[in-house]
């Protein structure tokens, strides 16, 4: 027989004025299993808690119902108090007499009766409560950051400075991401490389950071605190330890006409290359698709010249498996290509470029050394048209969302152009100007007012080539839709920001959700923006949604704080409100029949397969097993299981059934 | 004179949205009828149709099942699973001839305190007008000696 | 029929299977399940209109699995049951030689993939009689429907013949046997019967292969299959998918779409 104590709180007048608390306490004495029932002015006050603790000891209570306010308010308080009196905290439940009764009903008999009912339900529940113990999960204090753009670098540095090990995995040969390609940055117009390069170097030299460039995540097993990540280190065809980065090989490589990704196809590079001079690490890779040796079996000029003998033509990809406690995704974005716009001639004209190409043209380290030359003939463009929202907010292009950064960088581009070509004319076609942010609107106004950039509100319907010019036909909606025709030398399309190549596959590898557009989904749009719904995996930067640098960096630091928080203990302690699959002695082993209908119901991929094996190693039965490190206790699987093999601790079938039977 | 009929209403609500919404009804001191008895579970995903059947078995005249609006689930998708389950359950109950005017499914968020009060009142009034669910109560009694 | 027998003998003689599970004459016009263990027993096999029982229900039984590889005579509904059982991991791909029977023609299918391909070629239609009955139920007023089922269930004695005949009711520990808590009363009184059929129907929604065996198995003639079939049809209407089509599990009730359409949730 249970010995349950019921403690009815008046909450001053809050409950007491509407519910006859003394009567409730009296009524509860008659509930079978209730060994003690009392009412008190303020249960949550110190004397209230002390009185409860004394009663627990004196009456040898093994369960407690506190009839007071919402459990969402004081459940932790009373569970702690109960624990301090030596009873398992999960043997305490709260009846919500205040929010769900006294505050919402009129004073009277019915309300007092309802209060007693609410208590009765929980008394019956408690009879089926079991002591529960926090779940402890060990934590490997090494983080992995996937993606080495400005976001990933920031996360890595913050975690490393917090005293923890970080592995930074970047798929391209250098860290830096899109920011390393930018010329100057809004809203301050400071040089992008100048502010980014020191960070890149810091990351490379940090004793807590291991860089794995030219590498990709292949497989992820395990769960929060205990991931096992397999990384593919792609063969650089180079012994990185021997290479000093002298660059002799690059100078002498005979194969010099390869379209350069870093310069967005506006320049060329060699087959053995570093993507850009400030690359980190400053160690080349051989592009085996274009290398003469791999194509013809002859060349090896680089091998002959390398003073340290670092070239390794026979080198193969290497798979490395690492123990990781937390993962941060920072894989960034990609830009929509210019060739999807029929109205702009599918971007066939060399002088219709995208924003990133413009960045390279404007960059001092770019293919034109920062001198404005249009790609087709190298002439200085006298008139440039910038088209914002190219593909963004356009359902027909599959991008109904706003890419967020284009308004700002388009203003920046127009300004940079005007600073370089003083006599030039810059036009911007736009739908709306979205320049919300510190100093952002001022920045756009500067472009219009100080740099005389002509802003035209309207869409461009067509661009065609005529006599070496690009004829841009649009309309000015502020002038009543009056047609506008501009004969331009170059057109810059601010194409939409899209989720990066391979995002969906990566999300599947990591079991994190992604939205319709392939951006990774946050656990809660407002309150958990840097977490994913897979515990232990976090987000930073443009891989979650279009973001500019300040936002990326802020989110990166947020994600890092989450990781450092997770790493602040050897063990992770979790609430024991988790699901369990029942276990029985042989030959049944469990009520689970191994149908795994529950598997896809779990929002957290917490359900695993467990094989029961005989002594000889033969599989007798395959059962579901719930990983307590991942389960969040929603109970969806419980309701899905036909055989009632799964139950949820704290809200078990027996508890709920008992509650229902009092109604 | 027989006492006026007061319906028994059982509500199954999730902890994070509707229960919190009902808490807000309280903190906002919005009054509603006291017929309802609320059972708290973590998520609508946890609400097994067995619970609804048992509530009917125990003589509920009306039932409310409520949780987070689509897209707002604390556990991201428990409510989507629940929604599918309810869609099929509702049809099954109709085929069986159960009076589905007595079972109300709804989304009430943690911010919708007033909506909770309104929902409870509407359901209570509607079920009161329908009268006791004698059809069901009859079979509960039948055959049990 | 002859082709079937011939193949059965071959399979047994070559030792490719340990038994051939098919139909044999029962009492009167009835047909019963029959295991031919030796080539000599194959002659007892029959195949005609009356062979309606879904033999897939045997395939998951412990005793049958212990035999080793078995060949199973499988009309369309049995084929659907087998693939669904594979999807639910109750049968292993390749453990059975499936002798698919479609309007007299026999085709041997050795793998889940072959079965899936075979099933994809066919349209699944409801039995004409069931269709009429379902339409009749649909046309009734709610009160009449209630009365109809109450009247039908009044004969139910919870013999569980429906459950036992159903290929998808393979659970070792059925909810109906669950006693902590006793969700569904054991007794076969009105409420116990109603809850049993409600719960079983829900368990079969999205899993019922519409063979109708549960209804045929009922000794007192309650058309319980109408319940599970209509639930399955509901799933099909709402979510556009059916049980018994794919070898990879695709259970309508443990997935969702964010834009699932309903109009009753307030
Ligand atoms: C034309 C243009 C101009 C811009 N100008 C400005 C500006 O002036 N000011 C401003 O604030 N912002 C500007 N931005 C926005 C800025 O570029 C982004 O905010 C920033 O780059 C986002 O950083 P990130 O680290 O999230 O992503 P990224 O910079 O995209 O970096 C992602 C990194 O992850 C790597 N990666 C991708 N997938 C994988 C994988 N599977 N495994 C391993 N590594 C992977 C990539 O190689 C890359 O290095 C501009 C953007 C554009 C397009
Ligand atoms: S726990 Fe239930 S639903 Fe999951 S595999 Fe086991 S029996 Fe099937
Ligand atoms: S309770 Fe929820 S989170 Fe836990 S295993 Fe079940 S479905 Fe997954
Ligand atoms: S429920 Fe009935 S019709 Fe459906 S698969 Fe089972 S036996 Fe066949
Ligand atoms: S009624 Fe449900 S639990 Fe029982 S055997 Fe059938 S599917 Fe399994």
């Amino acid at each position: 027989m249970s010995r349950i104590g019921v403690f009815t709180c008046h909450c001053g007048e809050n409950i007491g004025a509407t519910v006859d608390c003394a009567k409730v306490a009296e009524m509860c004495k008659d509930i079978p299993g209730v060994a003690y029932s009392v009412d008190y002015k303020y249960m949550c006050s110190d004397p209230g808690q002390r009185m409860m603790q004394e009663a627990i000891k004196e009456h040898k209570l093994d369960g407690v119902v506190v009839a007071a306010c919402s459990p969402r308010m004081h459940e932790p308080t009373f569970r702690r108090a109960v624990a301090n009196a030596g009873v398992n905290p999960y043997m305490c439940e709260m009846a919500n007499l205040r929010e769900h009764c006294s505050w919402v009903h009129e004073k009277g008999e019915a309300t007092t009766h309802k209060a007693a009912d609410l208590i009765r339900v929980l008394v019956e529940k408690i009879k089926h409560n079991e002591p529960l113990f926090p779940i402890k999960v060990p934590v490997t204090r090494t983080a992995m950051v996937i993606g080495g753009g400005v976001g990933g670098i920031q996360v890595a540095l913050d975690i490393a400075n917090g005293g923890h090990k970080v592995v930074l995995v970047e798929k391209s040969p250098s860290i830096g991401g899109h920011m390393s390609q930018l010329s100057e940055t809004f809203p301050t117009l400071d040089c992008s490389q100048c502010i980014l390069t020191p960070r890149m170097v810091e990351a490379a030299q940090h004793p807590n950071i291991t860089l794995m460039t030219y590498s990709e995540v292949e497989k992820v097993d395990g769960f929060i605190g205990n991931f096992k990540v397999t990384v593919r280190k792609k063969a650089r065809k180079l012994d990185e330890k021997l290479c000093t980065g002298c660059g002799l090989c690059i100078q002498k490589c005979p194969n010099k006409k390869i379209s350069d990704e870093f310069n967005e196809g506006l320049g060329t590079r060699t087959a053995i290359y570093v993507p850009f001079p400030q690359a980190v690490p400053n160690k080349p890779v051989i592009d085996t698709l274009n290398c003469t040796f791999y194509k013809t079996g002859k060349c090896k000029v680089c091998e002959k010249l390398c003073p340290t003998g670092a070239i390794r033509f026979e080198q193969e990809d290497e798979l490395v498996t690492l123990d990781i406690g937390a993962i941060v995704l920072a894989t960034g974005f990609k830009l929509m290509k210019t060739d999807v716009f029929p109205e702009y001639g599918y971007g066939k004209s060399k002088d219709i470029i995208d924003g990133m190409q413009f960045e390279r043209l404007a960059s001092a380290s770019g293919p034109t050394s920062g001198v404005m030359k249009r790609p087709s003939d190298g002439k200085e463009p006298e008139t440039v048209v910038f088209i914002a929202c190219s593909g963004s907010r356009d359902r027909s292009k599959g991008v109904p969302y706003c890419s967020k950064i284009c308004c700002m960088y388009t203003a920046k581009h127009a300004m940079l152009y005007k600073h370089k070509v003083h006599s030039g004319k810059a036009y911007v076609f736009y739908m709306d100007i979205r320049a919300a942010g510190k100093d952002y609107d001022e920045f756009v106004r500067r472009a219009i007012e100080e740099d005389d950039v002509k802003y035209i509100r309207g869409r461009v319907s067509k661009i065609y080539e005529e006599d070496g010019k690009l004829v841009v036909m649009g309309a000015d909606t502020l002038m009543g839709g009056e047609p506008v025709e501009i004969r331009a030398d170059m057109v810059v399309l601010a194409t939409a920001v899209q989720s990066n190549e391979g995002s969906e596959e990566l999300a599947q590898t990591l079991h994190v959700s992604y939205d319709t557009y392939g951006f990774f989904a946050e656990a809660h749009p407002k309150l958990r923006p840097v977490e994913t719904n897979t515990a232990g995996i976090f987000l930073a930067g443009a891989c979650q949604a279009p973001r500019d640098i300040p936002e990326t960096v802020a989110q990166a630091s947020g994600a890092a704080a989450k990781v450092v928080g997770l790493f602040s203990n050897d063990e992770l302690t979790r609430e024991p409100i988790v699901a369990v699959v029942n276990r029985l002695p042989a030959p049944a082993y469990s009520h689970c029949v191994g149908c795994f209908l529950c598997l896809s119901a779990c929002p957290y991929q917490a359900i695993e397969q467990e094989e029961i094996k005989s002594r000889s190693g033969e599989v007798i039965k395959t059962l579901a097993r719930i990983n307590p490190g991942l389960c969040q206790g929603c109970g969806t699987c419980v309701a899905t299981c036909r055989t009632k093999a799964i139950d949820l601790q704290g809200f078990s079938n027996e508890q709920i059934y008992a509650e229902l039977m009092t109604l | 004179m027989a006492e006026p009929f007061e319906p028994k209403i059982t509500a199954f609500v999730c902890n994070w949205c509707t229960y919190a919404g009902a808490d807000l009804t309280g903190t906002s001191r919005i009054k509603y009828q006291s017929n309802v008895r609320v059972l708290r579970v973590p998520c609508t995903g946890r609400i097994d149709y067995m619970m609804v059947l048992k509530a009917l078995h125990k003589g509920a005249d009306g039932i409310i099942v409520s949780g987070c609006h689509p897209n707002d689930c604390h556990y991201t998708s428990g409510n989507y699973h629940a929604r599918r389950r309810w869609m099929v359950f509702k049809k099954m109950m109709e085929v069986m001839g159960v009076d589905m005017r007595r079972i109300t499914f709804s989304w009430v968020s943690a911010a919708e305190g007033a909506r909770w009060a309104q929902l409870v009142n509407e359901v209570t009034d509607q079920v009161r007008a329908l009268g006791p669910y004698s059809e069901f109560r009859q079979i509960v009694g039948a055959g049990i000696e | 029929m002859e082709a079937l027998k011939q193949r059965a003998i071959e399979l047994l003689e070559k030792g490719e299977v340990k038994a051939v599970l098919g139909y044999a004459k029962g009492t009167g016009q009835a047909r019963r399940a029959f295991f031919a263990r030796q080539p000599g027993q194959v002659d007892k096999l029959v195949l005609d209109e009356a062979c309606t029982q879904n033999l897939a229900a045997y395939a998951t039984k412990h005793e049958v699995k212990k035999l080793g590889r078995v060949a199973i005579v499988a009309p369309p509904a049995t084929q659907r049951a087998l693939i669904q059982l594979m999807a639910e991991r109750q049968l292993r791909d390749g453990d059975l030689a499936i002798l698919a029977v479609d309007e007299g023609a026999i085709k041997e299918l050795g793998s889940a993939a072959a079965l899936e391909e075979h099933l994809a070629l066919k349209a699944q239609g409801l039995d004409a009689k069931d269709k009429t009955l379902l339409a009749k139920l649909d046309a009734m007023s709610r009160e009449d429907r209630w009365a109809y089922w109450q009247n039908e269930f009044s004969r139910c004695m919870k013999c569980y013949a429906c459950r036992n005949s159903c290929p998808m009711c393979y659970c070792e520990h059925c909810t109906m046997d669950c006693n902590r808590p006793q969700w569904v009363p054991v007794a076969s009184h009105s409420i116990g019967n109603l809850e049993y059929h409600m719960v079983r129907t829900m368990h079969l929604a999205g899993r019922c292969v519409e063979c109708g065996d549960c209804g045929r198995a009922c000794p007192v003639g309650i058309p319980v299959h109408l319940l599970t079939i209509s639930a399955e049809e509901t799933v099909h209407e709402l979510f556009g998918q059916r049980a018994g089509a794919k070898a990879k599990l695709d259970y309508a009730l443990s997935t969702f779409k964010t834009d699932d359409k309903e109009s009753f949730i307030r």
Side-chain angles (χ1 to χ4, degrees), chain A residues 577-579 598 601-607 626-627 630-638 646-648, chain B residues 75:
Chain A
I577 308 300
V578 292
C598 52
C602 177
Y604 302 96
Q605 283 83 30
I607 305 177
I626 288 165
N627 185 326
L630 289 177
C631 172
Q632 305 284 322
C634 68
T636 304
C637 58
V638 180
I646 319 182
D647 213 339
L648 182 62
Chain B
Y75 305 95

Side-chain angles (χ1 to χ4, degrees), chain A residues 77 162 342 369 637:
Chain A
T77 317
S369 303
C637 58

Side-chain angles (χ1 to χ4, degrees), chain A residues 581 591-599 624 637 640-643 645-646:
Chain A
V581 177
H591 288 149
C592 169
V593 281
C595 63
F596 292 101
L597 262 53
C598 52
L599 208 74
C637 58
T640 306
C641 180
R642 311 186 298 290
T643 61
I646 319 182

Side-chain angles (χ1 to χ4, degrees), chain A residues 17-63:
Chain A
T18 325
V19 169
D20 183 344
C21 294
K23 188 167 170 200
V24 168
E26 234 5 78
M27 286 161 82
C28 290
K29 284 186 179 150
D30 297 337
I31 308 174
V34 171
Y36 183 71
S37 176
V38 73
D39 59 306
Y40 188 73
K41 263 261 166 300
Y42 287 109
M43 277 313 305
C44 61
S45 67
D46 267 357
Q49 291 190 38
R50 226 173 305 122
M51 178 202 75
M52 186 171 93
Q53 290 167 332
E54 275 153 24
I56 290 175
K57 290 186 186 132
E58 191 186 328
H59 300 277
K60 299 196 171 48
L61 303 178
D62 56 13

